[in-house]
Amino acid sequence: MSQTLLKNGRRVVTGQLAASDVLIEDGKIAAVGTNLSANDDATVYDLDNNLITPGLVDIHVHLREPGYTNKETIATGSRAAAHGGFTTIAAMANLKPTCDTPERFHAQEARNVKDGAVKIIQYSPVTKGRAGQKPVDVAAQYAAGARLFSDDGAGIQDASVVYQAMQQLAKYDLPICDHAQDNQLANGGVINDGSVAKKMGLPGMPKISETAQIARNIVIAQATGAHYHVCHVSTKESIELIRHAKQLGINVTCEVTPHHLLLADADIPDDDAEYKMNPPLRSREDQEACLAGLLDGTIDCIATDHAPHTDAEKHRGFLASPNGIVGSETAFALLYTRYVKNGIFTLVELIDWLSGAPKRVFKLEDAGQLAVGDPADIAVFDIDHQTTIKPDQFFSKGHNTPFVGDRVYGASVKTFVDGKLVYDREDTE
Ligand SMILES: [Zn+2]
């Protein structure tokens, strides 16, 4: 029996920070409490009063392999996740080729297992080739192990395709995770439609391009009984629709990104594509609605939409740069610093939105909690000292973030997956 003892940490216990140790045996949590002891040959880590949480869960990341390994690989993206305290991540299917057949899905899962520093759940696309024309063979993908389905990166334009897909997915109680975007209404916009777009002379993407498609897909979810999950919700009106749908008992859930909680279009300093993503940063009113929706339970969980690109690609301004920013390595610290330190929400809430909530929404076994018998997936954060966000310290190949130079609390100290140390700050100092 191999033992690892984490000593002198702190954990949230009934809303309060309290001293805590964790004992790990053969990769599983054997005990959580105070003054724990271990065998003489156990590996012991002194956590120096740092915060212990369940390993975080990120239900929305882009790992770019195969097809775009100049931006990220499974190895670098999963190490970035470990550096952010994430121990389970769900990887989107906008790959080349995408994993839309059982053979390709198996091959992708094998790559994820071979190179992943953390646990990776692979999304299947909803449609063949992610082309939005014809649903994948849901039964075959399910048999191959697919449990999450998304064409993320693009909205499915044809309502009948969504209807067919949801009918199939409902049979297996599988979620469709939707990048809600009506391309006609989006009208080639590269930034939120509004005064900032006007001032910068850039084509705006109206909010209704998101909200209208969510409205349509809620109706289809109601008709089919499918679990409809909205990715990266960004507008006040989208959140109002989802709130209403939930009140009607429709099976709808949604996520919000850290950047939509932290920034609005008015924060974009100039034509700097480190602020360009899809959906775009919306108005201050929308940002506040995201926060309110999270606090009142309309928004279920937080997901980063980690979307790495090369520096060269992101240095071409709003018109020519690709969408997306990295998020794995900054999410916890940014949200802790802005919202927990300032008393807007609690540490318990933040940890839950990043672990227990995605576990419940997607019925993930063996992830998102810290209890005896569970796999020892554990994150450790330093919430007492400030650090500076420096992209040259990222494990991700992508350095594309608008948060460069931010001073934050909550840097990651250690991350364990199945009791194995997969990130250790001491190695990088
Ligand atoms: Zn998306």
Side-chain angles (χ1 to χ4, degrees):
M1 181 174 62
S2 105
Q3 285 192 331
T4 303
L5 180 61
L6 313 186
K7 283 204 72 71
N8 303 324
R10 280 183 299 168
R11 211 162 49 84
V12 184
V13 182
T14 56
Q16 302 289 326
L17 280 170
S20 182
D21 302 340
V22 177
L23 179 66
I24 300 166
E25 277 179 12
D26 295 332
K28 296 206 185 302
I29 294 169
V32 182
T34 48
N35 301 315
L36 299 181
S37 56
N39 297 340
D40 289 344
D41 59 353
T43 307
V44 180
Y45 296 104
D46 187 335
L47 297 188
D48 201 19
N49 214 28
N50 284 314
L51 174 73
I52 300 171
T53 75
L56 304 183
V57 177
D58 190 351
I59 210 69
H60 191 145
V61 305
H62 297 274
L63 295 182
R64 308 298 195 202
E65 180 181 356
Y68 310 94
T69 51
N70 57 328
K71 300 173 192 275
E72 191 78 293
T73 65
I74 294 162
T76 58
S78 65
R79 274 160 188 78
H83 181 205
F86 293 96
T87 56
T88 296
I89 57 177
M92 284 297 175
N94 56 338
L95 305 166
K96 206 159 77 185
T98 189
C99 41
D100 57 355
T101 64
E103 295 71 28
R104 285 179 177 164
F105 192 83
H106 283 308
Q108 186 65 23
E109 288 214 304
R111 278 191 286 270
N112 289 342
V113 167
K114 182 166 103 19
D115 289 347
V118 302
K119 295 170 182 174
I120 302 173
I121 304 169
Q122 182 59 49
Y123 275 91
S124 165
V126 176
T127 66
K128 294 231 170 90
R130 276 182 69 254
Q133 306 290 317
K134 199 166 178 292
V136 294
D137 183 340
V138 169
Q141 293 292 87
Y142 178 76
R147 294 295 180 269
L148 300 174
F149 290 73
S150 181
D151 271 9
D152 183 60
I156 301 172
Q157 302 305 301
D158 185 335
S160 74
V161 174
V162 175
Y163 182 55
Q164 292 164 46
M166 282 203 200
Q167 283 179 311
Q168 291 303 311
L169 291 165
K171 283 188 198 165
Y172 299 90
D173 194 22
L174 297 168
I176 179 168
C177 302
D178 183 33
H179 173 118
Q181 177 179 319
D182 181 301
N183 290 345
Q184 246 68 45
L185 292 172
N187 199 26
V190 297
I191 188 170
N192 183 47
D193 193 32
S195 57
V196 176
K198 238 177 233 108
K199 196 178 78 196
M200 294 175 65
L202 291 168
M205 184 187 288
K207 297 204 288 175
I208 55 166
S209 62
E210 171 180 306
T211 311
Q213 202 173 58
I214 292 175
R216 182 195 79 178
N217 291 349
I218 285 173
V219 171
I220 302 173
Q222 186 176 31
T224 57
H227 174 191
Y228 175 50
H229 178 81
V230 184
C231 299
H232 43 54
V233 66
S234 74
T235 82
K236 180 173 173 238
E237 293 76 12
S238 300
I239 295 162
E240 282 167 358
L241 273 176
I242 293 164
R243 186 178 293 123
H244 184 58
K246 286 186 166 189
Q247 283 162 357
L248 293 174
I250 302 170
N251 191 1
V252 182
T253 57
C254 67
E255 72 197 28
V256 67
T257 68
H259 45 274
H260 289 107
L261 291 167
L262 293 161
L263 296 172
D265 58 0
D267 298 318
I268 301 171
D270 50 27
D271 188 5
D272 178 359
E274 306 291 21
Y275 291 81
K276 182 186 180 189
M277 70 289 288
N278 186 13
L281 298 173
R282 301 291 187 183
S283 70
R284 193 70 69 199
E285 191 186 15
D286 295 304
Q287 182 196 348
E288 284 163 5
C290 287
L291 186 58
L294 191 60
L295 286 167
D296 74 16
T298 304
I299 296 174
D300 297 85
C301 61
I302 298 171
T304 67
D305 194 6
H306 174 79
H309 295 289
T310 65
D311 288 346
E313 289 170 308
K314 284 299 261 185
H315 289 167
R316 294 174 191 154
F318 264 81
L319 276 177
S321 293
N323 288 305
I325 63 170
V326 292
S328 299
E329 292 166 270
T330 55
F332 181 86
L334 285 168
L335 292 168
Y336 178 81
T337 304
R338 175 83 74 89
Y339 290 125
V340 177
K341 286 286 278 184
N342 291 320
I344 309 296
F345 48 68
T346 66
L347 181 56
V348 176
E349 287 174 312
L350 177 60
I351 293 169
D352 189 61
W353 290 322
L354 287 167
S355 59
K359 174 192 180 66
R360 291 190 297 276
V361 168
F362 297 102
K363 305 183 183 80
L364 307 177
E365 289 172 24
D366 294 345
Q369 67 183 20
L370 210 157
V372 172
D374 283 334
D377 297 347
I378 297 166
V380 182
F381 297 101
D382 178 356
I383 54 174
D384 297 319
H385 299 99
Q386 274 191 314
T387 54
T388 304
I389 292 178
K390 294 179 183 159
D392 62 1
Q393 294 175 350
F394 287 172
F395 285 68
S396 173
K397 284 192 181 186
H399 293 168
N400 46 311
T401 171
F403 300 107
V404 177
D406 275 30
R407 298 279 292 161
V408 290
Y409 295 87
S412 178
V413 177
K414 283 180 168 50
T415 307
F416 298 86
V417 172
D418 289 328
K420 204 177 115 217
L421 190 60
V422 295
Y423 169 73
D424 189 353
R425 188 166 69 176
E426 285 174 18
D427 294 344
T428 61
E429 279 171 348

